[in-house]
Every structure is written in C-alpha cells, then in structure tokens.
Amino acid sequence: MKDLKLEDIIEDSQVDGKISFITSIDHVIKGNIEQEIKTEDFIPVLPLRGIMLFPETMVPISIGRSSSLKLLKDAQKADTPIAVFSQINDSTDEPDFDQLYHTGVVGKVQKIIKLPDGSQTAILQGYHRIRLIELSSNGTYNVGRVENFPETMPARHDREYMAVVDACRETAIKLMKTNEQTIGSAFALNNMTDRSATINFICSNLNISNKERIALLEESHLFDRAYRLLGILQREYQYVSLKMDIQMRTREELDKQQREYFLRQEIENIQEELGEKGSDDISRMREAGKKKKWNEQTEALFNSSLEKLSRLSSHSPDYQVEYTYIQTLLDLPWGEYTKDNLNLSNAERVLNKDHYGMEAVKERIIEHLAVLKMRGDFKSPIICLYGPPGVGKTSLGKSIAKAMKRKYVRMSLGGLHDESEIRGHRKTYIGAMAGQIIKNIKKAGSSNPVFILDEIDKVGQQSNHGDPSSALLEVLDPEQNSAFHDNYLDTDYDLSKVMFIATANNINTIPGPLLDRMELIEVSGYLAEEKVEIAKRHLVPQELDNLGMKDSGVKLSKAAIEKIIEDYTRESGVRDLNKKINKVLRKVTLKYAKDGVLPEKDLSTTDIREYLGTEPYSRDKYQGNEYFGVVTGLAWTSVGGEILFVETSIDKGKGGKLGLTGNLGDVMKESATIALQYLKEHCDIIGIAPDFFENHNIHIHVPEGATPKDGPSAGITIATSLASAITKRKVRKNIAMTGEITLRGKVLPVGGIKEKILAAKRAGITDILICQENKKNIDEIPAKYVKGVKFHYVDNVKDVLDFALI
C-alpha cells in the first residue's frame, strides 16, 4: 500500500462539501508524547458532544462553540497537545468537571477546514489515554490537569488476541457493508495491519452510545477491549441481519398499492419474532362471538371484521377503530331477553304503591300484560304520556319496569338537534360511535328493556345536522323497528321487544308523523286532595329518608300540607311541592342537629309559615263581582290550569276605538274583535242604542301584563266582560267560563278541560259556563274531579249573557 498524506485522506473523505469520516490507518504516524504531559501542567481541555476520540485514530469534529474554535486555533498555532474528553450530557453548553467523562485522550489539531456552508471542521489525531484530575478556566476556554492512563498491550504473538481482533475486523466489515455511508470505512479497515489501531478504529466508527464507548475506552488491557468490542459487534450485526430478514420477507408482498402498508407489516413481523402479536384478543373475541345469538348477516359481518383486525398492526390507526367496532358488536345483547313477570295482581300492586292516581295509564299497562300473558309474544306498544311537568310521567317508567321485571333505561331528548345521536355515525368518520338508542340497549344488557324517551316534544328541528325527529320515526314504528339500522353497526338490530314510553308536556309541538306512531295517554294535573295523599304516602317519607330523619317521628299534618299546596306552590304536578316539603324538613333537621331535641313532631300551618315565610301566591282567588266589566275566565298553560280576569272600561269619545292590553297574542286579540263585532250587530240582546259604539271608546285589559297570553278560549269571557261594562250589569257570583265564539255568536268547544276545572276549584268557583259539545269531556272525568262544581252548558253568546249577567 502506497504512503498517503493527510491532505489526500481529507480530500477523499469529503462528501458534498462536508467531511464524512477519516480513516486511521497504518500510515498515520504513531506519536508518543507521554513525556510532554506533566501532571502539574495545565493543558487545554476540549469537550466533545456525541463522539469520542480513541488512541491512534483521526476524527473530524464540527466546531460549534466559539470557545472551542479559539482553543483549536491556539493549539494548532502553537503545535501543542490538547486533552479531549466527551460530555456525559450532550445538551450542556459549558460542562464542568462532573459533566465530563474523566477518561479521555491526548490529541493534536492536524487541520482546521472551512467548509462551503460557512461551518468549520477540525481534524484531530488521538495519541494515548489520560485521566482528568482538575478542571478550571483561563477566561476563554477550559484548561485542566491530567495524568497519563497507560494501556496494557498483549504479547506480540498472542494467538487468542489475534483471533479476537480478526473476528472484530470481519464482523465490523460485514456490518459496515450493510450501510452505503460506511462502505469506505470497511475498505480502510480491510487494509489495516496494526491490531491495536484496528480495535481503536472500530471503536471510534461504531454507531453505539457514548456510554458503551467510554466503557471500551476505560478497558486498560487491549485484549479486554477487543473482547468487549466483539460482543457489541455481534449484537449489532444480529439486529441488522434480523432487520434485513424482515425486509426480505415483506418485500415479496409489496406492490404499488401496498407501499403504504410496508411499515405496518414490518412492525407486525417484529412483533411476531418477539412473540408479542395480539392474538389473545382476537381469540377471545372469536370465542365470545360463538356464544352470540345473531343472524347470519351479523355473524358474517363480525367474522369479516375480525379477519380484517387480525391483518392489522396494533399500532395502526385502523386497528383501534376496528377493535372498538367489534367490541361494540360483542357488548350488545343480541337475542337476549329478560323474562317478563306476567302476574297481573303483582303489577297492579306495584303501580298503585309507587303512583297515586293515573288510572288510565295503569289500566293500559295492565292491558298490555294481559295480552302478553295470553299470546306469549306481542309487539310492545309505543306509549306517549303527556301532561304538565311534575306529575310523574318519567318516574312511571321505573314502576312499569319494576312491575314487569324488565331492565330500565332513560334517554333525554330535550334539545337534541343531531340526527347522529339517534342513528349513530358511519364507522369511517373519526371518533365514530353508535347512536344513543344502541348505547342504551348495550347499557341495559337485554333487548327488551323499558326505554323512556324523555321530553320528546323538545326534540330540535331540522338543521344541517339532519332531522332527529324523522330519525325517531324508524325507532317508534312497530312495523319498522324490528330491523332498526344504526349507521355505526351497519346491520339491523331488533327493537320490537323494547317497550318505548315517550313523555311530553305539549303534544302540539310533536311532528304529525311521529305523533301518529304513538298511543297517547294524558296524565293530568292533580287535585289538591290527590296532592295531599301523594305527599303523605311518598314525598314526606322520601324526604325524611334523604335527610336522615326517617326514625325521628316527624309528621306533617293534612292542614300543613294543604297550606303548602294552596299558598306556596303554583303547579299541576308535585315537583315544587316536593321542594317546599324538603325545605320545611331541612329547617327541622337543622334544629334537631343543633339541640338534639325535635322542636315539634307534628308540624302545623303555623310552623309552615314560620319555615317558609310569607305566602308568595295570592292568585287563583276569586275577586268577587263588585265591579262592572270584570269576568273570571279559565286558561290552560304548560304547568296546568289557571284562572284569569278580563276587565273592560268604557269612556265617551268619538270614533269607537278598541284598546287591548295585557300582553295578548294575535288569536286572543281576534277573539276580542269578534266579541265586540257581535255585540255591535246584536245591540237588542243587551238593550243599548245602535249608535252607542260610535260615541264611546272601549278598553279591554287582562291583568298580569308581564305574562304572554294567547288562544281562543277566552272568547265568551271577553264578550261577557264587554256586555257587563256596557250595560252596567254585574256578573253572577262564583262563576267562571271558557269557550271560543264566532261572528254568529256560536260557542265552540275548547281543550284542557280537566286542568281548567282544577284551577276553578282552587279559586273557589262553584259554577262553570262551558260549550255544550264539551259535555263529553266532562263525562270522561272521574266524579271526584268535578265534585263541588256545577256545569252550565251553552250553545251561543245569548245563553252566556242570560245566565252570567244579573
């Protein structure tokens, strides 16, 4: 081999303007400068990041720190040795004594090269090992005191050492040839004859961590260094061989469409070699699938998805999507049903115990159980319970589930505006999941639960998220829900055995097609007597239990409960009554907790006023008939029935103007106009001159102006108020009325009869004027609701005025 100069070596090693490697071969002169290093002398210390200088090697280093550049230039100019040590942590900018490995190499700067991109690289020649004793700074860069750390060389003809070195060379050459960037190093290594230089060269060029390099450098005996190096080389070569083997196996499966699949397949092969492939989950899922009672279509879908999952890497994004989908299929209770309790006496006993009243609802449930008992198989009905808030529509579902021994689930539809909440998202979307119907079936754990669809009248309207009310059509149609299709499942699910019970406050806001699929059962408001019974049987014991006062013996008298109902609540249901009872009992609990003695066990009306304060409600009280033009009407609201007063005043003035106040809606304004027009055309009925209206202005007001009012049912009330004010005739005592009128004076039927009767009874009304056609509604109401009230049926306005005015 011909002699080479340093400049030739550097020039050959430049790639794209950068130095890639420096070969340390026999022609590099071995210098011995041990005599030049004295322990008491301070020499410049160069810290290196990520690389390590070994004896008898030459390496390029990129100069990043200005202090390092100054040190190298000074050392090159003076031709003096430097101490080269590697940093323990590469992120440290100015390492101190503890942040450097204390074993290093004496080196000399051979050349500093400025590369085309402006960066500078220094070529360092390593000589022999040293140890760092002390480190300090001269103001520009670090200097330190070092001591020589000599190596022990094996005997010149040590055959074992020679064999280890040759094995290191052969393994290193094979390893270098697997990487295009190190092929040049392999060529240089193959031409080296000096064994110690060979070992140090391999240590310097091997791609391992600095932790392993320092362990090699600290081996004082060269044979031990060579033996440790051989172990590392064999480990690295086995890893590269395994990687190449994996690549060879996967290369056969590659085509244009599978290039994207390459990395996933490589990971899978690695997992297979390590024995970590997720076959346990797939086996578990396959066994669980065999126990499911699904149809052929669903079984085929499951097997197809499981096969796809087995081909995916667990690190693939699609793996988790497919895994979640299969788990959802397995979690659903396909064909699993709870056994219904068809004991009609038991069901009736449970319903009566949990809920007072609600006879129509209880009767319908018992009918359903009777049919199930006779047939053994029957499609569940879709029931819609509608009525004011707080009457127990939602809690009734729990009682039905308990009576039938079915699972109970509830879904709130209030404010629902996204169709996907019902039908689910398609599996291809990010974050896709099943709809709320399927989720609740999974939660129930059976395919025939009692399913409460709460607040169905408050489902959002059609938007860019779809129409949720239309999505409910499939769920609530007994002819379709046996094959309900959820977008996420992408297969049919049988909902025909589910007993759906919807609840609503106002059925007028439910779309017609949806309403048509449900059996409507009205749950009306409660009488004061019913509320007293509900409070005694359910609310008071429940609140005493919640407050930890179950065994205290505290009782609310009937009069106390009646006072809360009449003076502190304004509702058709019992929700606010429950809150007020809770408040009263909390006050008692506080006193008992403070003093250890109950203030009283039987709470009276006086105690109620003490605990709840001044009565907030004075409305719903009949105001008498001392004034002309004041008439009591009956109205329906979403919280039940109410009484309202219509007031009319007359003043002289040209033009016959009509004024309307009280926050009235368009329909109610029209009723006032119709009533006035009727009286203008029938002056003879009330006995006034035809020109009366031309010389008088009329003002109609409905009190509580902050509350919006609308609807046609105040028609006869407004007509009576006008007639009373015009004729100066008072209205009969304790009378109220409701009904729509036409221009011909005909009285038309109205709705909300039961709620209006309850409101009239609360106000002390004894006589109610109502349309003749509403008699059928009165006949359907149980006698206890109408006890104490006399009904007067009318066909036209003349009948109303003849009875009402005195």
Side-chain angles (χ1 to χ4, degrees), residues 81-343:
I82 60 174
V84 182
F85 297 91
S86 291
Q87 296 181 196
I88 296 173
N89 187 349
D90 293 339
S91 62
T92 307
D93 285 327
E94 297 295 335
D96 57 21
F97 181 84
D98 294 325
Q99 292 166 335
L100 293 174
Y101 290 113
H102 295 163
T103 301
V105 173
V106 172
K108 272 195 173 184
V109 182
Q110 300 293 338
K111 193 168 186 178
I112 298 177
I113 305 167
K114 190 170 185 179
L115 299 176
D117 61 359
S119 63
Q120 297 192 67
T121 296
I123 308 301
L124 297 183
Q125 169 69 49
Y127 288 90
H128 60 80
R129 297 188 310 166
I130 52 173
R131 278 195 182 277
L132 184 62
I133 299 173
E134 183 183 346
L135 186 70
S136 61
S137 174
N138 65 3
T140 306
Y141 45 79
N142 288 332
V143 294
R145 284 195 305 114
V146 299
E147 64 179 3
N148 293 321
F149 188 22
E151 297 175 331
T152 303
M153 301 293 291
R156 184 173 180 83
H157 299 294
D158 188 334
R159 295 181 64 82
E160 188 178 1
Y161 171 65
M162 292 166 61
V164 170
V165 173
D166 289 341
C168 286
R169 178 188 288 108
E170 290 172 7
T171 309
I173 289 173
K174 287 192 290 185
L175 188 61
M176 290 174 178
K177 284 183 177 179
T178 60
N179 189 337
E180 291 181 359
Q181 295 182 351
T182 56
I183 289 176
S185 297
F187 175 78
L189 182 60
N190 194 45
N191 288 280
M192 294 181 69
T193 57
D194 188 275
R195 289 185 175 83
S196 62
T198 298
I199 295 301
N200 289 325
F201 174 76
I202 297 172
C203 292
S204 181
N205 283 272
L206 191 58
N207 186 22
I208 54 176
S209 66
N210 262 5
K211 219 171 189 181
E212 287 189 301
R213 287 197 184 104
I214 194 65
L216 289 168
L217 183 60
E218 287 181 341
E219 288 286 1
S220 294
H221 200 292
L222 207 58
F223 177 84
D224 293 337
R225 186 183 302 170
Y227 201 87
R228 181 189 285 260
L229 175 62
L230 182 59
I232 294 173
L233 285 168
Q234 289 176 342
R235 181 198 70 197
E236 293 295 311
Y237 184 71
Q238 285 176 3
Y239 172 79
V240 172
S241 298
L242 181 61
K243 186 176 178 182
M244 291 176 66
D245 184 50
I246 292 168
Q247 290 173 341
M248 288 298 294
R249 274 188 282 163
T250 56
R251 188 170 299 142
E252 297 174 1
E253 300 173 22
L254 290 179
D255 57 26
K256 290 183 180 179
Q257 287 77 29
Q258 290 179 314
R259 290 188 182 277
E260 205 176 310
Y261 183 66
F262 172 77
L263 290 177
R264 297 176 191 165
Q265 188 68 29
E266 186 172 273
I267 292 171
E268 183 178 354
N269 288 331
I270 292 171
Q271 289 177 330
E272 189 175 0
E273 290 289 333
L274 296 175
E276 294 179 353
K277 194 172 181 181
S279 57
D280 290 344
D281 282 342
I282 293 170
S283 299
R284 176 184 58 80
M285 289 176 171
R286 185 172 284 109
E287 289 302 316
K290 291 177 182 178
K291 301 175 184 177
K292 288 293 176 181
K293 303 173 184 176
W294 41 35
N295 55 36
E296 292 181 5
Q297 178 189 357
T298 308
E299 186 176 5
L301 182 66
F302 170 78
N303 290 331
S304 171
S305 300
L306 198 62
E307 184 63 29
K308 181 179 178 182
L309 182 70
S310 66
R311 293 195 303 266
L312 289 172
S313 164
S314 60
H315 297 281
S316 166
D318 292 338
Y319 181 89
Q320 194 59 43
V321 172
E322 207 64 35
Y323 183 92
T324 305
Y325 172 70
I326 294 173
Q327 197 60 54
T328 301
L329 287 177
L330 290 173
D331 289 343
L332 282 170
W334 300 88
E336 297 176 21
Y337 304 102
T338 54
K339 187 177 180 181
D340 289 333
N341 181 1
L342 302 178
N343 186 324

Side-chain angles (χ1 to χ4, degrees), residues 392-406:
K393 299 184 297 297
T394 303
S395 62
L396 186 65
K398 287 186 179 179
S399 296
I400 294 171
K402 185 164 69 173
M404 299 178 70
K405 289 194 174 178
R406 286 192 178 189

Side-chain angles (χ1 to χ4, degrees), residues 614-779:
T614 308
E615 298 86 344
Y617 298 121
S618 60
R619 60 108 191 133
D620 281 6
K621 295 294 184 184
Y622 178 65
Q623 296 182 359
N625 64 338
E626 300 300 320
Y627 300 96
F628 304 118
V630 179
V631 183
T632 305
L634 298 174
W636 179 92
T637 70
S638 61
V639 295
E642 289 187 1
I643 66 170
L644 55 80
F645 304 97
V646 177
E647 304 173 348
T648 301
S649 67
I650 308 292
D651 65 276
K652 291 184 177 181
K654 292 290 182 180
K657 295 179 182 178
L658 173 64
L660 298 169
T661 55
N663 202 349
L664 308 183
D666 292 338
V667 177
M668 202 164 180
K669 289 178 181 178
E670 290 172 359
S671 296
T673 305
I674 292 169
L676 179 60
Q677 186 62 32
Y678 175 81
L679 292 178
K680 284 182 179 180
E681 291 186 5
H682 299 83
C683 294
D684 55 319
I685 293 178
I686 55 177
I688 60 172
D691 62 348
F692 175 87
F693 295 99
E694 296 179 4
N695 300 311
H696 293 82
N697 295 323
I698 299 172
H699 188 99
I700 300 173
H701 176 67
V702 182
E704 296 187 26
T707 306
K709 308 166 194 74
D710 203 4
S713 63
I716 62 173
T717 311
I718 295 172
T720 306
S721 177
L722 283 168
S724 173
I726 292 169
T727 61
K728 305 300 181 185
R729 294 166 64 186
K730 293 182 180 179
V731 178
R732 191 184 296 269
K733 286 184 178 181
N734 299 322
I735 189 173
M737 57 190 71
T738 180
E740 182 181 355
I741 63 170
T742 68
L743 279 174
R744 294 174 293 153
K746 183 173 177 61
V747 179
L748 301 179
V750 292
I753 300 300
K754 183 180 176 183
E755 284 77 10
K756 292 176 180 179
I757 293 171
L758 296 181
K761 291 189 70 174
R762 288 198 300 265
I765 300 295
T766 58
D767 294 88
I768 295 178
L769 280 171
I770 196 167
C771 175
Q772 179 69 41
E773 293 184 33
N774 279 126
K775 186 177 186 304
K776 62 180 182 292
N777 303 107
I778 304 295
D779 293 340

Side-chain angles (χ1 to χ4, degrees), residues 597-610:
V597 179
L598 282 172
E600 57 277 314
K601 283 195 173 183
D602 295 323
L603 303 180
S604 64
T605 54
T606 306
D607 299 319
I608 297 302
R609 197 173 195 284
E610 178 188 345

